[in-house]
Amino acid sequence: MFDIRQDGGSIVLVGRFDASQKEQAKQVFDSLDASAVVDFSQLDYISSAGLGLLFGTQKRLVESGGGLTLINLSPHIREIFQIAGFDNIFEIVD
């Protein structure tokens, strides 16, 4: 199960973000035209498809002077970001 919703100024990811959920998430991330906060507190899993979508969104937003701030990553998901080198691409806040 996966859900993505906008809650105030944040995008909240819930459940498992894998390739089968990419189109649903793409609609939300493609609608961003400014910096945004992405809350991972309810996310259990992220696949390479999810990472790729986040990376593409980050690249597009940085080119226009914005970017994504990632918050509340579990230790497991934070480790995935570190292994991929994404901790150097995204602002990650505890």
Side-chain angles (χ1 to χ4, degrees), residues 73-87:
L73 279 72
S74 69
H76 172 72
I77 291 177
R78 180 180 287 272
E79 182 180 16
I80 291 168
F81 274 78
Q82 290 171 335
I83 290 169
F86 281 15
D87 56 331

Side-chain angles (χ1 to χ4, degrees), residues 1 3 9-11 13 22 26 32 37 41-42 44 46-48 50 55 58 60 68 73-74 76 82-83 89:
M1 182 188 119
D3 187 34
S10 297
I11 296 170
L13 304 175
K22 185 177 177 183
K26 186 174 184 335
L32 296 176
V37 173
S41 63
Q42 299 177 58
D44 301 320
I46 188 166
S47 72
S48 59
F55 177 75
Q58 178 73 346
R60 178 177 57 81
L68 297 174
L73 279 72
S74 69
H76 172 72
Q82 290 171 335
I83 290 169
I89 296 169

Side-chain angles (χ1 to χ4, degrees), residues 13-57:
L13 304 175
V14 180
R16 297 178 55 85
F17 185 5
D18 58 29
S20 67
Q21 311 302 330
K22 185 177 177 183
E23 286 307 311
Q24 178 186 0
K26 186 174 184 335
Q27 291 177 10
V28 173
F29 284 109
D30 283 354
S31 72
L32 296 176
D33 58 3
S35 294
V37 173
V38 184
D39 186 346
F40 283 69
S41 63
Q42 299 177 58
L43 192 71
D44 301 320
Y45 172 82
I46 188 166
S47 72
S48 59
L51 291 172
L53 180 60
L54 288 170
F55 177 75
T57 302

